Amino acid sequence: MATAPGTAAKPAPPKAPVVDSAPKTVAVMARFFGSRVGMLNTWSKRIFAITKQKFLAYDETDVLRESYSWSQLAGVVLSPGKTNEFTMQIDPVTKGSPQELVMYVCDHRDHLLSLVHKMAEDAKMAAVPKFATVQLSHTDQPMLVVLSIGGAFIEKLLVEHPARPPRLISARYIYQIVGLINFEHFDVGEDWREYKGVMITYSDDTYRQYLFNKGDERASFIATIRKALQDNFGRNLVVVEMSVQEIKDHRSKMRAAMREAIGDNTPIYETVVTRLSPRVMQPKPRKLSLTVGHLIVQEDVANAKKRPTLFLVQPLQHISCLRSDPIDPQRFQLQFSSGRSMWFTSVDRDTIIANVLELARLRGNTSIHLMFHDAPPGSKINPPNAVVPPDWIPYLLRRSLLLTPKSDPMELMFTVCEFNNNVLLADTFLKDKQLSHNLFAILKQIGPHRTDAESRKLTIALLLALHRCLFFRGNFEQIIARKDYLLSIFGYLKSNDTSISCATASLLLGMLSPSNPNNVHPTAVNKNLLFTDEGTAAMLAVLMRNSEERANPLLVSTLLAILELVLHTRVDTTAADLLKVLVKKFQSLLETFFDMCKYHCVPIARSASVLIDVLMRNHEDAARLAVLQNVSRTSTALLWQLRLAIASPVLEQRRMSQQLVSLIVDGNTASTALFERLFPAELIQIIRAPDVAPPLVAGKKPVDTKPPAIGPKWERFFATVEADTETPNLVWNGEMRWELAQTIDQEIFRFNELKANYRGVKRCAWNADELRLQYKTNADEVVVSGIYLRRLIKHADADPEAPVSLPDPNAFVERCFLRLLLDGDDERRVLYLRAMTWCYTKHSSSLKPFRGLENFVQLIPSWRNQEVVGQALVFLTELVALPENYDAFMALDGCQLLVDLLHLAHQPSQQQFHPHRITLVCLKLLQRVAALQSNVDSDGSLKLPLPTLKRVLSEQSSLGTVVQLLTVGNEGFAAQICDATVLMIEYVLDFDETWMRDIYKTGLLFFLLRYVEHSAQSMSEMLRLLHRVQAAVSNGDSFLQGIVPLWRVKLLDVQGAEAFLEALRGEGES
């Protein structure tokens, strides 16, 4: 249909009401709210109705004001600069009359005009361009299709067989096109290599790719789309040229953006669904996943290495509606705020819907709603999911108020569905209270036992309409004030029709919902609705029947949510009394609620956990609580709640389960013992500590929270369990949490499998004593007294002052030493020695004398590993710092042991602990002993007999071993070893003239001169000391004079060691 461009003439004045109005039964394709612009720029409200024959415009009193057949529509003119205004050019019915111009305003102008152009084309049977093309898909084979380009739609027809006409499989609005991209030589096979390609991108981030066998066909196709956009919607779309690689990169970026949007990629729920498609081929299964924030539909691949293709990624906040097919028990629809909708089938339909509703509401999407019927023809007002203008709400309400049992069935169904789909859930200015009465009257006339399809659809629509009435002023009181109304609801709850039961449960939940602003007296509602014998019996019967059969998770989750609201509502003393009544009734159902927690359905597991918590907290006495705690453990409910508490991706479920676990374990010896076999000792210490109550503020009562908060120790326990920790006292990480969750799953599966083999036994209890968890993640860890030795050493090296909890240092040292005696692995021996060294360094004041010193001293020479020997000597250094240990060490001939180990300095290095370090530790130990065993007393008198260390070192072999340490050539330790060796030689030579005269026999003078550069200062001073002492006892002669020139000896004697060194190096002048 051609559009008349240019400036429109002045619009015609409004006409009188059309007498020849359309009949009520006319099939309306869609309705739109708008206005007509008059001569003086006055606006009159209009409801535009699109039918197959006419364009109808009603005023707000339902009077038909304009009616035009599609054959009269000559064109549409868009107002420049205005996105919602347009003028329709209407040809007169009588020839010779002037053309009529009518100006309208509609917020959804492009959507309205799309339908207008489509209806006009169909009525005039106007020929529309058609293009044979090949559609590309990244998962399926290319398929032959025909694209029909009208003024507002792109219709896609599938070519099934050359002899058959193409079949319509989809249609898209042209105004939703946002991009056209040309590309060539797309590599999908030899048959398509020379085809020309175009990619169309839409406003909902989807795209389609088509191939044309001729370049002029592609150009004509693009020109047709651009012309339709320009003429009908005033948009000029620019075509972009891209290479094939750029196209691939563009697609990859789009998919990467979808994957990047999934920040919370841990799936809470996964199942296989089938996407319903109008294509002839069998639709392929898809995997539907729910995370904390997104709904994902992707390719269901068996190969784990292949990355699945994403078909849909939508935030849960963008889901506007869920539709459950009342006929097909597996069919459901997802509707999004963008207007997009998708149909699926799945055997887990109700579980999917329940999870989507719960997770969406947890993400703040409170506007999401559930429908149990398809939108019938004519029920659509404005584009899908569009917001109804607030000033039109009274009109829709007025239409609803006119409903009576005598209304026309088609009009009745249309009005109820219109009311359900379009009225906002908000408190309005509705004053009339007749609506709920009218709906109940119609519902009563139908009755709960009608099974024909039309009655079922109308019953569901009426129940949903009543649910909407709860949120309108005046209607809520009318419903709860009539006991006959409330009792009649339970008849529908017990219906064998799943959709009717679910719609009824949703109505009951709406009555109790605290989000309902009209529900100011929840106690009265509870008393009149749920605390009647009939009401309680009906709810429990439906709940038990569906839970035992594991059927209809959506209904079960709704009923549990009702019980959760009732049991968890605490308004006044009346509610408390009613709570006691319900608790008494439901105590026998505790194990049933335990089983419900194991549903793979988020709302069921969470609500059942809340109910268990309430029932257990409202126990009669401590003995009753102990019984409930034991039942929780022996039924594996404790295990499952523990798994939810540590591994559930839903934060609310984790917190609820943590609260329940704390209630079951606190004060129960058997449950605490179970935890000791599942968790490291450091975590058990947290829950064994007493809870510290928060301080009371003067003049204020403690706040009673609902649900009650867990104690501080349990908060700390679960905070530690949820975090990754690596300290000397505790190693806990994600792998260990995964191991715990897997162990729980396996144990519960094993218990259920064994229980199935004993069907004749009345009651089976899980044997918790048989469960012990050894974490494979920590299999290589060395743990002594709850201390992870590797982590201890790592932390001590990084921060020696870091605090480590060690209640009994003496027991720790004894256990480490016992492990040292029994363990033959050198790496672990080093760990034990370093741990004991650390303990003596940090806790020396609280340690007792080391009882294993004798065995330890005997073990050191037997070890061949240099690092073990070195760490043993480091530990020995800390040991002898205590006087009691020092005395015992000396009594065990410890000095001889240290001298015997000095020969290791000349061995090649094998481990990280270098032999020179061992020698240095030995020398430092000898120096410490020498400081305690002085040659003279406080008066300067020589001690006789000689101290033990001096006697040992004075032996020819021992002194020779010490002197030969001067030959150590390692650059890193040479100076330190030589300095320590010189000090030990001075200690031996002090007050011993015999050795002063015969010291040359050990080779000392030669070594001092040969290796003087190892420690120039100390070794030169030793040369000077030897020369002077020997000269004093030998009438001025010394052995040094026969080795170096006399002038150098005199230089050493007179000017000192530094001058002697300079001369020895050839740096001085004479």
Side-chain angles (χ1 to χ4, degrees):
M1 180 186 64
T3 303
T7 305
K10 292 184 179 180
K15 298 189 298 181
V18 178
V19 178
D20 183 19
S21 62
K24 288 186 176 181
T25 56
V26 66
V28 179
M29 306 302 295
R31 286 178 168 85
F32 294 84
F33 293 115
S35 299
R36 174 175 176 173
V37 182
M39 289 290 293
L40 301 177
N41 204 26
T42 56
W43 290 34
S44 302
K45 287 185 178 180
R46 289 290 187 270
I47 298 176
F48 307 119
I50 308 297
T51 72
K52 288 187 176 182
Q53 294 80 23
K54 292 185 177 183
F55 174 86
L56 307 174
Y58 295 87
D59 66 10
E60 55 186 326
T61 61
D62 282 341
V63 175
L64 182 62
R65 292 293 181 178
E66 293 93 32
S67 175
Y68 310 113
S69 65
W70 296 118
S71 59
Q72 290 181 262
L73 184 61
V76 178
V77 178
L78 304 179
S79 299
K82 296 182 180 180
T83 59
N84 60 353
E85 194 174 276
F86 62 97
T87 300
M88 299 182 69
Q89 298 173 331
I90 308 298
D91 287 337
V93 178
T94 306
K95 292 184 178 181
S97 300
Q99 191 180 62
E100 184 180 0
L101 302 178
V102 187
M103 183 179 293
Y104 294 109
V105 172
C106 180
D107 289 338
H108 304 282
R109 183 190 68 179
D110 290 350
H111 193 95
L112 169 63
L113 293 184
S114 296
L115 294 176
V116 167
H117 291 306
K118 174 63 177 173
M119 294 298 104
E121 288 171 357
D122 292 346
K124 297 178 181 179
M125 301 183 65
V128 295
K130 294 183 179 181
F131 301 88
T133 181
V134 178
Q135 180 176 340
L136 295 179
S137 172
H138 50 279
T139 56
D140 302 323
Q141 292 295 325
M143 63 179 182
L144 296 174
V145 296
V146 174
L147 299 179
S148 175
I149 313 298
F153 281 84
I154 297 181
E155 293 182 344
K156 183 164 59 180
L157 300 94
L158 180 64
V159 180
E160 298 173 311
H161 191 274
R164 299 176 187 172
R167 182 171 61 89
L168 178 66
I169 59 174
S170 69
R172 296 294 298 261
Y173 290 106
I174 285 182
Y175 78 88
Q176 292 180 334
I177 297 176
V178 294
L180 291 171
I181 303 173
N182 279 344
F183 62 92
E184 298 184 9
H185 307 296
F186 199 81
D187 188 13
V188 292
E190 294 295 332
D191 295 338
W192 319 104
R193 188 177 299 277
E194 299 302 323
Y195 277 49
K196 310 298 182 182
V198 62
M199 184 167 80
I200 304 175
T201 58
Y202 294 93
S203 56
D204 59 355
D205 295 330
T206 60
Y207 63 89
R208 296 291 183 269
Q209 292 176 307
Y210 301 103
L211 297 180
F212 296 86
N213 61 356
K214 295 180 181 179
D216 54 350
E217 285 191 8
R218 181 180 67 177
S220 177
F221 173 77
I222 292 175
T224 304
I225 291 179
R226 294 188 66 202
K227 184 176 186 302
L229 282 171
Q230 178 65 46
D231 293 347
N232 298 333
F233 306 105
R235 287 174 49 203
N236 183 20
L237 194 63
V238 178
V239 182
V240 179
E241 300 285 342
M242 285 190 182
S243 64
V244 173
Q245 186 59 45
E246 288 175 332
I247 285 284
K248 291 181 178 179
D249 293 343
H250 182 70
R251 285 187 356 191
S252 299
K253 288 180 181 179
M254 292 177 69
R255 288 195 291 268
M258 292 173 67
R259 294 186 185 276
E260 188 177 352
I262 315 172
D264 47 354
N265 53 10
T266 303
I268 296 173
Y269 176 79
E270 288 184 334
T271 190
V272 176
V273 299
T274 301
R275 167 77 190 279
L276 295 182
S277 171
R279 299 179 185 176
V280 174
M281 66 281 291
Q282 182 69 25
K284 292 183 178 180
R286 303 290 183 230
K287 184 168 72 173
L288 185 145
S289 304
L290 289 172
T291 69
V292 173
H294 289 82
L295 181 142
I296 306 165
V297 178
Q298 56 189 329
E299 186 179 7
D300 185 30
V301 294
N303 186 1
K305 295 183 179 180
K306 181 183 177 182
R307 195 173 190 181
T309 302
L310 290 175
F311 298 104
L312 176 71
V313 175
Q314 284 286 345
L316 293 174
Q317 297 93 316
H318 292 178
I319 301 176
S320 60
C321 180
L322 291 159
R323 290 188 182 274
S324 175
D325 193 321
I327 307 299
D328 187 341
Q330 297 184 8
R331 187 167 173 263
F332 68 99
Q333 183 190 42
L334 296 172
Q335 291 185 358
F336 304 98
S337 55
S338 63
R340 187 179 183 183
S341 62
M342 303 175 75
W343 281 99
F344 299 93
T345 60
S346 173
V347 293
D348 300 323
R349 179 192 71 177
D350 289 348
T351 305
I352 295 171
I353 292 175
N355 279 319
V356 170
L357 286 172
E358 179 75 3
L359 293 172
R361 285 165 182 161
L362 290 177
R363 296 292 289 185
N365 185 3
T366 56
S367 62
I368 186 172
H369 55 280
L370 174 64
M371 294 294 176
F372 295 95
H373 55 78
D374 293 340
S379 70
K380 182 170 60 177
I381 292 188
N382 290 341
N385 309 309
V387 177
V388 177
D391 54 343
W392 278 107
I393 291 180
Y395 160 76
L396 292 176
L397 293 176
R398 182 178 54 78
R399 288 283 301 273
S400 302
L401 288 173
L402 298 177
L403 295 176
T404 67
K406 296 181 180 180
S407 300
D408 179 78
M410 187 172 183
E411 178 68 14
L412 181 64
M413 188 65 181
F414 165 73
T415 306
V416 174
C417 291
E418 187 178 76
F419 177 76
N420 289 338
N421 283 296
N422 296 284
V423 177
L424 300 176
L425 291 178
D427 189 16
T428 66
F429 295 100
L430 180 64
K431 302 296 184 181
D432 199 323
K433 302 175 182 179
Q434 190 62 34
L435 176 58
S436 58
H437 292 290
N438 292 345
L439 294 174
F440 267 111
I442 302 171
L443 199 61
K444 185 177 179 180
Q445 184 186 31
I446 299 174
H449 305 297
R450 294 273 291 273
T451 57
D452 59 285
E454 294 302 323
S455 297
R456 290 175 62 250
K457 289 183 180 180
L458 185 56
T459 299
I460 295 170
L462 290 169
L463 288 169
L464 293 178
L466 281 171
H467 185 271
R468 294 267 170 136
C469 286
L470 298 177
F471 292 83
F472 292 102
R473 184 177 301 156
N475 282 284
F476 185 81
E477 288 93 353
Q478 295 300 311
I479 295 176
I480 64 171
R482 294 283 298 270
K483 200 165 185 178
D484 57 329
Y485 285 173
L486 299 179
L487 293 179
S488 65
I489 292 175
F490 289 104
Y492 295 94
L493 180 65
K494 294 184 288 185
S495 172
N496 292 327
D497 187 280
T498 300
S499 299
I500 292 178
S501 297
C502 288
T504 308
S506 298
L507 175 59
L508 293 174
L509 182 61
M511 293 181 183
L512 301 171
S513 175
S515 62
N516 186 348
N518 300 305
N519 190 5
V520 294
H521 303 294
T523 304
V525 179
N526 294 343
K527 187 174 181 179
N528 294 334
L529 179 62
L530 294 176
F531 291 95
T532 60
D533 292 338
E534 183 177 350
T536 306
M539 288 190 61
L540 291 181
V542 175
L543 179 63
M544 293 303 103
R545 182 185 66 197
N546 285 275
S547 62
E548 289 172 2
E549 298 173 358
R550 286 278 178 143
N552 200 355
L554 182 60
L555 178 58
V556 172
S557 66
T558 308
L559 292 176
L560 285 176
I562 293 172
L563 295 179
E564 176 187 350
L565 278 174
V566 175
L567 290 176
H568 231 260
T569 302
R570 189 173 166 193
V571 180
D572 50 27
T573 55
T574 305
D577 294 338
L578 296 177
L579 179 62
K580 293 179 182 178
V581 175
L582 285 179
V583 167
K584 189 174 181 180
K585 287 185 179 182
F586 296 151
Q587 287 282 13
S588 59
L589 305 177
L590 196 61
E591 290 196 47
T592 303
F593 291 143
F594 285 155
D595 187 61
M596 290 180 184
C597 293
K598 299 175 185 177
Y599 272 63
H600 291 289
C601 183
V602 175
I604 292 180
R606 188 192 59 77
S607 295
S609 300
V610 172
L611 292 174
I612 295 171
D613 181 79
V614 173
L615 294 176
M616 292 187 68
R617 289 187 186 278
N618 289 274
H619 55 82
E620 299 168 358
D621 49 32
R624 179 59 184 169
L625 176 61
V627 171
L628 297 177
Q629 289 176 327
N630 292 331
V631 171
S632 303
R633 183 183 66 259
T634 57
S635 64
T636 67
L638 173 58
L639 270 186
W640 184 251
Q641 288 295 334
L642 176 60
R643 191 196 188 287
L644 294 176
I646 63 174
S648 175
V650 182
L651 177 62
E652 289 76 7
Q653 178 65 64
R654 285 205 310 275
R655 295 294 176 258
M656 189 64 250
S657 295
Q658 289 169 8
Q659 179 178 309
L660 194 51
V661 168
S662 68
L663 180 61
I664 297 173
V665 177
D666 253 351
N668 190 277
T669 305
S671 298
T672 305
L674 172 62
F675 267 49
E676 290 176 350
R677 298 191 294 273
L678 294 178
F679 291 100
E682 184 70 12
L683 288 172
I684 299 303
Q685 291 179 10
I686 298 176
I687 61 177
R688 283 193 177 278
D691 257 336
V692 180
L696 294 177
V697 181
K700 290 187 177 180
K701 295 182 179 180
V703 179
D704 185 11
T705 59
K706 283 290 181 177
I710 60 177
K713 68 178 183 182
W714 284 101
E715 284 187 4
R716 183 185 169 199
F717 172 80
F718 283 113
T720 308
V721 169
E722 289 178 346
D724 290 348
T725 306
E726 184 179 318
T727 67
N729 296 103
L730 177 63
V731 174
W732 186 260
N733 51 42
E735 293 182 4
M736 297 178 72
R737 286 190 292 273
W738 182 85
E739 280 189 60
L740 177 58
Q742 291 297 308
T743 301
I744 291 174
D745 289 342
Q746 294 169 7
E747 191 68 18
I748 293 177
F749 176 79
R750 181 186 174 201
F751 172 69
N752 292 333
E753 193 175 41
L754 291 173
K755 190 168 63 171
N757 298 331
Y758 292 88
R759 294 186 181 276
V761 180
K762 186 176 181 181
R763 178 179 172 80
C764 295
W766 174 60
N767 186 3
D769 298 335
E770 296 298 317
L771 179 60
R772 290 182 182 275
L773 179 55
Q774 299 293 334
Y775 291 96
K776 296 179 182 179
T777 307
N778 282 350
D780 297 333
E781 291 289 345
V782 182
V783 185
V784 178
S785 296
I787 301 295
Y788 294 81
L789 299 191
R790 287 192 178 90
R791 316 294 173 177
L792 174 67
I793 303 307
K794 181 179 178 181
H795 279 249
D797 291 343
D799 184 8
E801 301 301 324
V804 177
S805 175
L806 186 63
D808 191 349
N810 287 287
F812 176 73
V813 171
E814 289 181 3
R815 290 169 184 168
C816 283
F817 183 65
L818 182 62
R819 295 274 193 95
L820 179 68
L821 296 176
L822 300 176
D823 202 329
D825 183 79
D826 289 333
E827 181 189 358
R828 290 194 289 271
R829 284 173 174 170
V830 171
L831 283 177
Y832 302 136
L833 289 166
R834 293 195 65 182
M836 291 190 292
T837 303
W838 168 85
C839 188
Y840 264 83
T841 303
K842 299 285 288 185
H843 302 279
S844 58
S845 60
S846 60
L847 287 169
K848 299 177 182 178
F850 185 53
R851 295 186 296 177
L853 186 59
E854 181 178 356
N855 295 327
F856 182 62
V857 170
Q858 293 175 359
L859 275 174
I860 294 177
S862 67
W863 288 324
R864 295 292 178 262
N865 186 284
Q866 294 174 356
E867 189 167 4
V868 175
V869 174
Q871 294 296 348
L873 291 173
V874 173
F875 174 53
L876 187 60
T877 304
E878 297 296 332
L879 274 179
V880 299
L882 299 180
E884 298 87 349
N885 292 334
Y886 170 78
D887 294 339
F889 176 69
M890 296 306 298
L892 295 169
D893 201 10
C895 293
Q896 188 61 53
L897 169 68
L898 297 176
V899 173
D900 292 342
L901 292 174
L902 292 177
H903 74 278
L904 294 175
H906 307 287
Q907 292 186 359
S909 175
Q910 299 174 355
Q911 282 87 21
Q912 184 178 359
F913 206 103
H914 199 278
H916 294 175
R917 290 181 61 195
I918 299 176
T919 303
L920 195 57
V921 174
C922 288
L923 288 172
K924 289 183 178 180
L925 268 171
L926 290 172
Q927 289 176 20
R928 180 177 294 183
V929 176
L932 297 173
Q933 295 185 2
S934 175
N935 290 320
V936 296
D937 61 8
S938 57
D939 297 332
S941 302
L942 179 65
K943 289 182 180 180
L944 293 176
L946 294 176
T948 303
L949 177 59
K950 188 162 186 175
R951 290 201 309 271
V952 171
L953 292 178
S954 297
E955 296 177 6
Q956 181 72 30
S957 59
S958 298
L959 188 57
T961 299
V962 174
V963 169
Q964 289 177 18
L965 293 178
L966 297 174
T967 65
V968 174
N970 184 274
E971 294 294 328
F973 298 97
Q976 300 176 55
I977 291 177
C978 290
D979 289 343
T981 302
V982 167
L983 292 176
M984 295 311 302
I985 294 174
E986 290 179 358
Y987 173 76
V988 175
L989 299 181
D990 192 20
F991 287 93
D992 198 333
E993 296 180 359
T994 302
W995 275 112
M996 286 294 185
R997 290 192 297 268
D998 300 331
I999 193 66
Y1000 67 91
K1001 295 178 182 179
T1002 63
L1004 175 60
L1005 293 175
F1006 173 75
F1007 293 145
L1008 288 173
L1009 291 170
R1010 173 65 181 81
Y1011 301 105
V1012 67
E1013 295 298 336
H1014 289 175
S1015 181
Q1017 186 64 34
S1018 62
M1019 295 176 73
S1020 299
E1021 292 290 349
M1022 173 57 71
L1023 282 171
R1024 187 182 187 192
L1025 173 64
L1026 291 174
H1027 164 69
R1028 285 188 169 186
V1029 173
Q1030 202 171 33
V1033 299
S1034 304
N1035 298 322
D1037 296 328
S1038 73
F1039 188 77
L1040 189 62
Q1041 293 172 352
I1043 299 177
V1044 294
L1046 182 61
W1047 67 272
R1048 287 185 177 176
V1049 175
K1050 291 183 178 181
L1051 193 65
L1052 174 65
D1053 188 23
V1054 177
Q1055 297 188 20
E1058 293 183 2
F1060 172 76
L1061 280 174
E1062 291 180 0
L1064 194 64
R1065 295 168 179 160
E1067 298 174 356
E1069 296 181 359
S1070 64

